[in-house]
Amino acid sequence: MKPIKSWRWLARKQSGLADGGKSGSGFKMRQFPFMAIMCAGMLFIVYKTTNYQFLQAEMEEKWHLFHDFKGSRVESGKLHGLPRGIVQTSSDLELRPLWLRSSSRSKVSVYSHRNLLAVPVGIRQKHNVDRMVQKFLPVNFTIMLFHYDGNVDGWRDLNWSSKAVHIVAQHQTKWWFAKRFLHPDVVSIYDYIFLWDEDLGLENFSPRRYLEIVKAEELEISQPALDPNSTDIHHRITIRARTKKVHRRVYDIRGSVKCSDASEGPPCTGFVEGMAPVFSRSAWYCAWHLIQNDLIHGWGMDMKLGYCAQGDRTKKVGVVDKEYVIHKGIQTLGGNRYQTIKTHSAAAADVRTEIRRQSTWELQIFKERWNRAIAEDRGWADPFKRLQRYRKRRHSHH
């Protein structure tokens, strides 16, 4: 049987050769369009994936330009008179003793996993700030208080007061203090900077657990969620979602701003508010440069902080629901003691009204500066608009 099968196979083979291989070539010709379509589809997928990765890498590179600039400053001609090894480009806020025992002098201080809590404070919120600080001290935090009412002596009876850094400047805001005393080179040893208001209730907040969540979620800019019973909730995205650990966007079809899956920016996603922001070291380096030296109320900054997220703000900016706070909304700066002032017309004016008027004016100035900076910097391209266009094109193909 085997010779017969071999003979029949050989006969079919010879027959195929005799007709010029038409049947085989016909089969191959029918396969060719299908294979061409498959190859074209695979090439298209590879191109789209590669292009998306390129956009992400390009955006990441933009965020690190600040660090490249930071390193290049050491090469500045202003330092040419110093040997390079003696130059120190950074500092810190750690208190140093006036003297050390001889046995301790040779020990080098090593700072690891340190964090900073900086709060503008007035004496009327002393007890609330005390409760706040007591939460942070066990977790290796440095405490920095900005005294906007000039009263430092009233804090000396607190057992941690002598270990905190106290800065005094009357009637100044959080952003005024931050711009002048939290330069990135001064706070570079801190992993995270908590720049918080004094009127927050922390009964349901643990700094340790908060940091664990932020690191696990890879958030560069974050804030604790606000208890729904808080006062002065301005943006829905900051309200606590009870069933989540973290949320990065909000869905809301009410009001003038509609928030959905298609939303790509603040206040629907990539947004935290100014009362309790938390910055990574890299994010703060960028955010400090965003603070305008003369616009002390900081209005408008929250809408642009996502540009400092060291990547896609829809992923790197988030609100932590598991650890949340209560915003009490207590008006302290320019409060009871300074309820009225005299204007040039000698008429009495409410301080809070004047502060709000000033803040609104500063917001307009900030917007104008942002738009002017975009127009003048021809080499700058909005990374989020470019990414948004790509996502829309990808979505349309699906």
Side-chain angles (χ1 to χ4, degrees):
M1 293 299 293
K2 289 183 180 179
I4 295 175
K5 287 182 180 180
S6 301
W7 179 84
R8 288 176 178 173
W9 174 84
L10 181 61
R12 287 196 299 270
K13 184 72 174 176
Q14 289 175 341
S15 175
L17 293 173
D19 63 9
K22 290 181 181 178
S23 60
S25 62
F27 176 72
K28 293 178 180 178
M29 289 298 292
R30 287 194 299 272
Q31 275 191 323
F32 181 77
F34 174 75
M35 294 298 294
I37 294 172
M38 287 289 293
C39 290
M42 291 178 65
L43 287 173
F44 178 78
I45 293 173
V46 169
Y47 166 76
K48 285 296 185 180
T49 303
T50 304
N51 187 48
Y52 180 74
Q53 292 174 341
F54 170 77
L55 287 173
Q56 291 279 21
E58 185 181 44
M59 189 163 59
E60 294 284 348
E61 184 178 358
K62 288 179 182 294
W63 308 131
H64 291 89
L65 288 177
F66 288 118
H67 298 286
D68 295 338
F69 172 72
K70 178 181 178 181
S72 68
R73 286 183 295 173
V74 178
E75 306 299 329
S76 171
K78 296 179 181 179
L79 299 176
H80 74 276
L82 297 176
R84 186 175 303 178
I86 202 66
V87 174
Q88 289 201 349
T89 60
S90 62
S91 182
D92 58 59
L93 297 171
E94 302 307 296
L95 301 180
R96 303 281 180 166
L98 292 178
W99 72 89
L100 292 170
R101 295 181 182 274
S102 57
S103 60
S104 303
R105 290 172 185 165
S106 60
K107 296 180 181 179
V108 179
S109 297
V110 177
Y111 302 114
S112 60
H113 306 296
R114 291 201 69 91
N115 305 288
L116 174 67
L117 171 66
V119 187
V121 299
I123 196 63
R124 285 180 295 160
Q125 291 300 313
K126 175 182 175 180
H127 297 299
N128 191 64
V129 173
D130 181 32
R131 289 192 293 268
M132 181 188 299
V133 171
Q134 295 291 354
K135 288 257 188 176
F136 283 87
L137 284 176
V139 200
N140 206 21
F141 269 78
T142 295
I143 307 300
M144 189 175 193
L145 301 184
F146 302 133
H147 297 272
Y148 59 77
D149 63 353
N151 189 337
V152 180
D153 291 338
W155 298 78
R156 297 192 188 281
D157 61 318
L158 300 176
N159 58 7
W160 50 263
S161 179
S162 61
K163 302 175 184 177
V165 178
H166 299 266
I167 305 293
V168 183
Q170 295 228 10
H171 314 317
Q172 300 306 311
T173 70
K174 174 167 68 176
W175 301 108
W176 183 93
F177 282 108
K179 186 66 172 178
R180 286 151 183 83
F181 300 104
L182 297 183
H183 188 280
D185 288 348
V186 175
V187 298
S188 62
I189 70 167
Y190 304 108
D191 295 331
Y192 292 93
I193 292 93
F194 287 59
L195 189 56
W196 283 16
D197 287 355
E198 61 182 332
D199 60 340
L200 300 175
L202 274 61
E203 290 79 9
N204 300 292
F205 180 85
S206 165
R208 187 186 302 278
R209 290 195 295 267
Y210 184 90
L211 288 172
E212 290 173 354
I213 294 172
V214 165
K215 292 173 183 177
E217 295 288 334
E218 299 182 347
L219 297 176
E220 296 286 336
I221 301 176
S222 62
Q223 75 161 82
L226 299 183
D227 186 290
N229 295 320
S230 297
T231 305
D232 282 348
I233 295 179
H234 301 114
H235 299 282
R236 191 172 178 81
I237 193 173
T238 63
I239 301 176
R240 181 189 179 215
R242 297 180 183 275
T243 60
K244 295 182 178 180
K245 181 168 66 174
V246 171
H247 69 270
R248 293 174 170 85
R249 65 170 57 244
V250 68
Y251 300 90
D252 191 2
I253 59 174
R254 297 170 295 178
S256 58
V257 179
K258 312 297 182 185
C259 295
S260 65
D261 281 323
S263 303
E264 295 285 345
C268 301
T269 185
F271 178 85
V272 298
E273 204 169 358
M275 87 284 288
V278 178
F279 302 91
S280 70
R281 182 188 297 109
S282 298
W284 178 249
Y285 188 89
C286 172
W288 184 89
H289 287 82
L290 179 64
I291 301 172
Q292 304 296 289
N293 192 63
D294 58 327
L295 305 183
I296 62 173
H297 293 285
W299 279 30
M301 269 188 54
D302 51 4
M303 293 293 178
K304 304 302 181 186
L305 284 177
Y307 287 91
C308 292
Q310 312 301 298
D312 189 344
R313 63 187 173 189
T314 65
K315 299 176 181 178
K316 298 289 188 178
V317 181
V319 178
V320 178
D321 300 292
K322 199 73 173 178
E323 302 300 320
Y324 61 99
V325 300
I326 296 177
H327 186 216
K328 300 178 180 180
I330 299 173
Q331 303 292 349
T332 51
L333 185 62
N336 294 338
R337 187 179 173 188
Y338 309 100
Q339 279 301 308
T340 59
I341 59 176
K342 292 292 183 178
T343 63
H344 292 297
S345 62
D350 178 68
V351 171
R352 297 306 309 175
T353 300
E354 293 300 322
I355 290 176
R356 179 165 290 276
R357 184 177 292 117
Q358 174 72 20
S359 301
T360 304
W361 176 81
E362 289 188 6
L363 172 62
Q364 183 60 36
I365 297 299
F366 181 82
K367 289 179 178 179
E368 292 173 0
R369 288 183 186 177
W370 178 270
N371 293 333
R372 184 168 62 250
I374 292 175
E376 293 176 351
D377 190 351
R378 297 183 179 180
W380 185 84
D382 192 324
F384 298 121
K385 286 187 177 180
R386 186 175 181 184
L387 196 60
Q388 183 180 7
R389 288 195 296 269
Y390 170 76
R391 285 171 174 162
K392 285 183 177 180
R393 289 198 302 269
R394 187 175 64 170
H395 181 72
S396 63
H397 287 302
H398 291 294

